Amino acid sequence: MIAIKNATLVMRDHLIPDAVLFIENGLIADFGEMRTTPIPEGCEVVDAEGLYVGPGLVDIHSHAGASVRFNDDPVTAAKGHLDAGTTSVLATLGYRHTTEEYVRFIKEIRALMKKPEGANIAGIYMEGPYINPNFGSLRHLNPWTGAIVPEDYVPFVEAAGTDARIWALGPEREGIEDFVRYVHAYNPAAKFTVAHSEASPQQIEKLMPYGLCIGTHHTNATGDRPMYPECRGVCVDEAVNYNSDIYAELISDSMGIHVDPYMQRLIRRIKGDDRIILISDQTAHATPNPEGFEHVDDLNFTFTAEGGIDISGSKLTLNLACRNYMKHTGASIVDAFRVASYNPAKVAGLTDRGEIRKGLRADLVITDHRMNIKSVILKGEFTK
């Protein structure tokens, strides 16, 4: 048994200072205040030195890790996340792959999940292929602009099985409901998101009974539907804000470029910390920062078809996103762990992790108040 003493435990809605936590057989065996929870003889004792011990971070949306794409080198990508405290990550595939490439990448990722070096890969997030081709970086390279037909999607849906936990899509795409019905029948636990879209609220809500419950990178890559000149319409962002059952993914970068800090505070006021999910949306690009953004070190950029530059995901890890979220919104470290661990684990169906509770997997991090990760514990084993 391992005893982590002198810890400030980060619970779902409060802190337990001067605490001890016990790990046995890869699980959280017990915890409590040190003054009332004696450490048994024979324990391996780790001194947290007053630092925070919280649940391992859960990143449900990341294309890369250590600046390497999951579809290029999933081992390096997974390790990059683990070193930063992300004990569960959904390897994310984008919308520029062919059916054959999807099948190959999915099989490679699923095989790695069974090996020790892929132990923190908890599944797959499919950001596409059926999004609105008018949105997203490198949208001119999107090959999925035609009809939605079974002969295209059946091979990769079946290759993914139940490990494709989340499917992102544009609800306005013609024929999308047939695709959603097929995925839902094949894997009833799968969740859907509205992503890269200009769907109306009604088009979004029509898919909610099938499991649409997430707004992908909320307020990014979404359109507007104004009804009258000089009037703002209602579209994706309004539907996500309005529906209490829809979680809002947020990319919280240091400068508040993906989502303005004021907007982050507004979204937090509307959705509350129980319906926000922090994501890294980490990507890998070699495009230099454009003029005026030379000082930004946590974003990625790509060239557009016209030769301009678009923002394209981030270089974030989830611990840094937590730090930024606290800075931009005034959230506490308890709130940060909720939106970066408990909420994403819950929505992805990872019910055996995401909080400190007896019997759950001992996926934990030891961190300071700025989310500098000192130690990482995966299934009860120290990896850092």
Side-chain angles (χ1 to χ4, degrees):
M1 181 181 288
I2 299 173
I4 303 176
K5 69 175 186 177
N6 294 324
T8 299
L9 300 184
V10 183
M11 311 303 289
R12 195 196 308 178
D13 55 9
H14 65 287
L15 298 172
I16 304 179
D18 303 315
V20 60
L21 180 144
F22 300 101
I23 299 171
E24 189 171 27
N25 298 323
L27 303 176
I28 298 171
D30 201 3
F31 58 87
E33 294 185 24
M34 290 182 61
R35 62 187 178 86
T36 57
T37 311
I39 298 175
E41 292 286 338
C43 275
E44 177 187 345
V45 179
V46 175
D47 192 342
E49 300 179 341
L51 295 175
Y52 294 97
V53 175
L57 304 177
V58 179
D59 193 346
I60 65 169
H61 184 164
S62 185
H63 300 265
S67 297
V68 176
R69 294 181 183 89
F70 274 101
N71 54 280
D72 290 334
D73 184 353
V75 173
T76 298
K79 187 177 187 303
H81 282 282
L82 186 60
D83 289 346
T86 297
T87 53
S88 296
V89 59
L90 297 189
T92 303
L93 299 177
Y95 49 85
R96 297 193 302 276
H97 308 304
T98 65
T99 295
E100 293 74 20
E101 287 173 332
Y102 275 130
V103 171
R104 183 171 79 251
F105 296 148
I106 287 168
K107 288 182 176 179
E108 290 173 355
I109 292 168
R110 294 188 77 186
L112 181 60
M113 290 170 61
K114 301 175 183 178
K115 300 178 180 179
E117 56 268 37
N120 67 321
I121 301 178
I124 299 168
Y125 186 116
M126 295 288 291
E127 191 177 10
Y130 298 123
I131 59 174
N132 188 316
N134 294 323
F135 297 92
S137 66
L138 298 176
R139 52 191 170 272
H140 58 288
L141 300 178
N142 186 342
W144 296 89
T145 59
I148 299 175
V149 293
E151 51 263 41
D152 287 338
Y153 63 73
V154 166
F156 59 74
V157 172
E158 294 186 353
T162 58
D163 285 327
R165 293 179 175 271
I166 298 174
W167 296 80
L169 47 83
E172 70 273 30
R173 289 287 300 264
E174 185 177 353
I176 197 69
E177 190 169 356
D178 288 339
F179 171 73
V180 169
R181 286 176 183 271
Y182 182 81
V183 174
H184 182 72
Y186 196 84
N187 178 17
K191 301 297 195 303
F192 298 94
T193 87
V194 51
H196 296 244
S197 172
E198 55 183 357
S200 69
Q202 292 75 23
Q203 289 170 323
I204 294 167
E205 291 165 358
K206 187 177 182 180
L207 299 183
M208 290 178 66
Y210 300 106
L212 191 152
C213 61
I214 304 169
T216 290
H217 41 56
H218 189 38
T219 74
N220 296 136
T222 53
D224 187 25
R225 289 192 167 196
M227 294 180 64
Y228 307 102
E230 300 185 14
C231 291
R232 179 178 177 85
V234 291
C235 194
V236 176
D237 301 331
E238 290 76 19
V240 171
N241 285 339
Y242 179 78
N243 283 279
S244 59
D245 290 336
I246 297 181
Y247 290 78
E249 291 180 357
L250 285 185
I251 305 170
S252 189
D253 56 70
S254 60
M255 303 298 295
I257 293 172
H258 271 97
V259 188
D260 186 275
Y262 193 96
M263 179 64 77
Q264 291 188 46
R265 294 191 290 273
L266 175 62
I267 293 168
R268 188 177 179 220
R269 175 165 292 188
I270 294 170
K271 301 299 292 183
D273 288 319
D274 60 345
R275 284 295 183 272
I276 290 173
I277 294 173
L278 286 187
I279 61 169
S280 68
D281 197 12
Q282 189 178 147
T283 55
H285 298 288
T287 307
N289 286 21
E291 184 178 353
F293 291 84
E294 295 88 353
H295 60 296
V296 178
D297 61 5
D298 58 357
L299 298 182
N300 274 314
F301 301 89
T302 56
F303 288 107
T304 67
E306 298 76 27
I309 293 185
D310 265 351
I311 190 171
S312 182
S314 84
K315 298 176 182 176
L316 288 168
T317 48
L318 211 51
N319 65 314
L320 299 180
C322 286
R323 178 190 301 173
N324 296 332
Y325 183 72
M326 290 188 287
K327 178 181 75 171
H328 294 321
T329 71
S332 70
I333 197 165
V334 171
D335 304 324
F337 271 99
R338 185 180 185 92
V339 298
S341 189
Y342 178 76
N343 289 352
K346 181 180 178 182
V347 81
L350 302 170
T351 57
D352 61 346
R353 67 201 77 173
E355 63 176 316
I356 293 179
R357 182 157 53 88
K358 284 180 64 173
L360 294 193
R361 257 176 49 164
D363 290 356
L364 303 162
V365 293
I366 301 177
T367 181
D368 67 10
H369 69 289
R370 285 183 48 76
M371 294 299 292
N372 294 305
I373 304 297
K374 306 299 182 181
S375 298
V376 181
I377 305 164
L378 177 65
K379 297 180 182 179
E381 301 287 335
F382 279 79
T383 66
K384 178 181 179 180

